Amino acid sequence: MPKEIRLNAFDMNSVGHIQHGMWSHPRDQSPRYTDIEYWQHLARTAERGLFDAIFLADIIGVYDVYGGSPAASIRGAVQIPINDPLLVVPVMAAVTKNIGFGVTSNATYETPYLFARRLSTLDHLTKGRAGWNIVTGYLDSAARAMGLDRQIEHDDRYDLADEYMEAIYKLLEGNWEDDAVLADRVNRTYADPAKVHVINHVGRRHRINAIHLSEPSPQRTPVLFQAGVSGRGRAFAARHAECIFLATSTKDNVRTLVKDVRAQAVKSGRKAEDIVVFASRAVVVGRTRKEAEEKFAEYKSYGSVEGALAHFASSVGIDYAKEDLDAPLRHEHTNSMQSILEALTTRSSEQWTLRKLLGEMGIGSRTRPFVGSAEEVADELQSWVEDTGIDGFNLSRVVTPEGLEDFVDLVVPTLQERGAYKTAYREGTLRQKLFGGSARLPKTHVGASYRHRPEIGVDGGRTPLPATVA
C-alpha cells in the first residue's frame, strides 16, 4: 500500500505570502484577508479536502534589506501589511470540525507566561485542534521593533528558545493536575487548590514564579511544529518538534535533512516516527497538462521579481539590489536564515544565480512549483514522499482561493483512488489525528517530563522543584 500523504494549506494573514505578485491577479482574493468570510471559506475548502491543518506563517518586522529600504516590500505587499495569525483561527474553527491549525509565534519576542495562556485558549476554542510553529526570527527590523539594536545571534536564539520551551512546558504541563477542575456546584468549588501548583523558572532570560492562568486544554501542549533546518535548528527540532516544515528544492537535500533530524530524535530517546515532515510546495493543476501549463503561464505573468528579491534578500541577510543577476550565488555567514543560502550553495550540486533562481522557480517564489494534470501532480507528490522520506506537504497559496479549490477538486480524488490519501478524518485532537494514541505529548517527548508528579510535590513555589519539573 502506498504511504498516506499528509497535507497542510500553507497561508499567512497578509496580502502577499510566498508567491509574490499574485495578489495583483484579477481572480486573486488575498486582499480580502481582513474579512472573516475569506478565512472561513479557506477553512471549509481545506476541510472538504481533508487537509490535516491550515498552517499560518507569520513574521515580525519588515523586509528592508533589499536596497537598504522597505520600499520594495511595501510596494509589492511582500508580507506587509500583515495581521496576527492567532486571531483568525477561532473564526475558522467555528465553521469546521476536524481540520487543525498550526500557528506561527516567535519564541524570541513573546513572553512565555502570556503566550502560554494564548495557546491554552486556542486549544480550548478549537477543541484540541491547535498547533504551534516555533520560530526564533531572523530580521534585524524585528529586533529594532522590539527594543534591541540588532537581532540576537543565530545559534544563541536557539539556546534561548530551548529555555523558552522549558518555561512553556512548565506552564502547560506542570501547573494544573488532570483532575484539578471539579466544577462542583453543590460545594461551590470549581477547582481544587491543592492540585493547582506554582511553578518556578529561573533562566538566562526568563524568571517566572506563577500559576498558569488557564485550566488544562484538550492537548495541554498544542502540536509542536518547527521549520529550522540549519544545524542548530535541526538539533532543536529533534528535541522539541512533532512536525517539521522543510523549504528546500532538491530531493537529495530533503532526504539528507529528514534522515538527520530523525536520527537525532532517536538519539534523544524519541522514535523516528514521532516526527512528521512536511515539504513546502506550490501546485498549479489543471484537468489536462495543457490547461495547467496555460494557467501557470498566466499566473507567472503576474509574478513580482522585485518582491521575490526583497523577500530573498531579507531571508538570507544579503542586499542583492546591486548584485549581478548572473553571478553565482555564494555562501556568506549571516545572522539570518542560514539554511536557505546553504541549500542553494554548499548543499547544492547545481550552480545557482539570481536569474536562474527567479526564472526556474517562477511565480515570485524560490521553490519549483508542481505543474500538471491531477495525475501528474499526484505522481510528483508520491514520488517525493517515496524518495525522500517526508510525510507530506505544506501547499502554499498561489492564486487564492482557486488554487486550493482546484487541488481539492482534482488532486485529492486522484490520490484517494490510489489509496495514498485518507477518505475521512480520524477521531480526536490534532495530535491524535496525526499520530493516533493520546491527545497529550507522548512520554518520550521532553515536554512530558515537566508534568506534575504527586510523588515530588510542590510547596507553593518557595523551593525550586527538581530540574525535570521546576
Side-chain angles (χ1 to χ4, degrees):
M1 291 291 292
K3 184 176 179 178
E4 181 184 301
I5 293 175
R6 306 285 193 174
L7 294 173
N8 296 327
F10 189 29
D11 216 307
M12 203 169 199
N13 193 356
S14 60
V15 179
H17 182 204
I18 300 293
Q19 330 305 333
H20 297 296
M22 293 301 105
W23 65 269
S24 62
H25 190 286
R27 295 194 301 276
D28 185 84
Q29 296 295 308
S30 59
R32 293 182 54 231
Y33 77 107
T34 56
D35 294 345
I36 285 176
E37 294 79 10
Y38 169 86
W39 292 105
Q40 291 180 330
H41 179 73
L42 168 70
R44 289 189 183 104
T45 304
E47 184 163 80
R48 179 166 64 84
L50 303 179
F51 277 46
D52 291 288
I54 294 170
F55 184 104
L56 294 175
D58 192 32
I59 193 70
I60 296 175
V62 298
Y63 296 131
D64 61 357
V65 173
Y66 184 71
S69 164
S73 298
I74 294 171
R75 184 162 46 244
V78 182
Q79 300 183 8
I80 183 172
I82 182 168
N83 287 344
D84 191 320
L86 273 77
L87 297 183
V88 297
V89 170
V91 305
M92 292 192 286
V95 296
T96 56
K97 293 182 178 179
N98 287 288
I99 196 164
F101 304 95
V103 183
T104 300
S105 188
N106 194 309
T108 302
Y109 302 121
E110 292 274 5
T111 60
Y113 182 63
L114 293 179
F115 182 62
R117 181 174 67 165
R118 293 169 70 198
L119 283 178
S120 293
T121 303
L122 203 63
D123 202 45
H124 278 299
L125 292 177
T126 61
K127 294 181 169 60
R129 291 186 279 154
W132 169 31
N133 177 38
I134 311 156
V135 299
T136 62
Y138 58 90
L139 297 178
D140 281 340
S141 63
R144 295 192 301 271
M146 299 303 293
L148 304 176
D149 293 331
R150 64 187 63 83
Q151 64 177 316
I152 299 165
E153 289 295 317
H154 178 276
D155 286 6
D156 207 16
R157 295 199 298 271
Y158 277 109
D159 292 342
L160 292 172
D162 274 321
E163 183 209 328
Y164 188 93
M165 296 306 298
E166 181 182 347
I168 289 288
Y169 294 142
K170 290 173 184 176
L171 291 162
L172 296 180
E173 299 287 340
N175 263 181
W176 293 64
E177 295 184 37
D178 287 340
D179 57 351
V181 175
L182 304 174
D184 183 345
R185 296 177 188 269
V186 173
N187 294 303
R188 300 174 63 84
T189 301
Y190 187 77
D192 182 351
K195 295 187 176 184
V196 180
H197 309 290
V198 173
I199 65 101
N200 285 279
H201 176 84
V202 180
R204 175 179 161 194
R205 195 176 195 198
H206 300 289
R207 186 181 182 92
I208 303 169
N209 180 278
I211 291 174
H212 182 45
L213 292 171
S214 302
E215 64 182 84
S217 67
Q219 298 181 114
R220 278 195 180 258
T221 299
V223 174
L224 299 173
F225 292 76
Q226 208 270 330
V229 294
S230 65
R232 184 63 182 88
R234 293 198 301 275
F236 182 88
R239 180 172 173 79
H240 300 286
E242 297 175 273
C243 300
I244 294 175
F245 163 44
L246 303 177
T248 189
S249 58
T250 71
K251 285 183 177 180
D252 286 343
N253 278 346
V254 171
R255 188 184 303 112
T256 299
L257 292 170
V258 170
K259 285 183 178 179
D260 178 71
V261 75
R262 284 189 166 139
Q264 289 193 54
V266 169
K267 286 181 180 178
S268 67
R270 303 175 69 190
K271 299 176 182 178
E273 59 268 27
D274 286 347
I275 296 178
V276 172
V277 182
F278 295 92
S280 175
R281 275 296 180 274
V283 168
V284 179
V285 62
R287 288 170 177 79
T288 64
R289 181 166 188 83
K290 182 174 184 293
E291 180 181 292
E293 289 177 340
E294 289 174 350
K295 191 183 298 184
F296 177 61
E298 179 199 4
Y299 289 171
K300 196 171 181 179
S301 69
Y302 291 90
S304 171
V305 171
E306 183 183 58
L309 283 171
H311 189 183
F312 184 61
S314 284
S315 296
V316 301
I318 300 171
D319 184 1
Y320 289 109
K322 297 180 181 179
E323 292 281 329
D324 180 355
L325 293 180
D326 296 306
L329 287 176
R330 61 188 183 277
H331 182 263
E332 299 180 32
H333 180 81
T334 70
N335 204 18
S336 297
M337 295 177 72
Q338 297 178 3
S339 58
I340 291 177
L341 200 54
E342 288 172 359
L344 296 167
T345 55
T346 58
R347 293 207 313 267
S348 177
S349 58
E350 296 182 68
Q351 188 172 82
W352 288 95
T353 66
L354 288 173
R355 192 182 304 279
K356 180 180 178 181
L357 180 68
L358 297 170
E360 291 199 18
M361 302 313 182
I363 52 178
S365 182
R366 55 175 177 254
T367 56
R368 292 184 180 96
F370 296 153
V371 180
S373 66
E375 292 75 16
E376 290 170 324
V377 169
D379 287 344
E380 198 71 32
L381 297 176
Q382 287 187 273
S383 171
W384 273 75
V385 168
E386 293 166 3
D387 293 348
T388 66
I390 63 172
D391 299 284
F393 300 87
N394 271 3
L395 298 179
S396 59
R397 63 161 139 111
V398 183
V399 169
T400 188
E402 71 178 47
L404 180 61
E405 293 168 344
D406 289 344
F407 189 94
V408 168
D409 292 336
L410 299 174
V411 182
V412 165
T414 302
L415 291 172
Q416 289 172 328
E417 290 169 6
R418 298 179 181 188
Y421 194 68
K422 59 184 172 291
T423 56
Y425 280 107
R426 297 173 182 84
E427 294 296 322
T429 65
L430 177 57
R431 182 171 284 113
Q432 290 170 305
K433 285 178 167 63
L434 289 170
F435 299 99
S438 172
R440 305 287 175 79
L441 286 170
K443 292 181 179 179
T444 53
H445 191 283
V446 62
S449 66
Y450 290 90
R451 291 173 183 156
H452 174 78
R453 291 181 287 171
E455 69 273 17
I456 292 176
V458 292
D459 61 359
R462 289 181 291 278
T463 303
L465 300 176
T468 56
V469 179

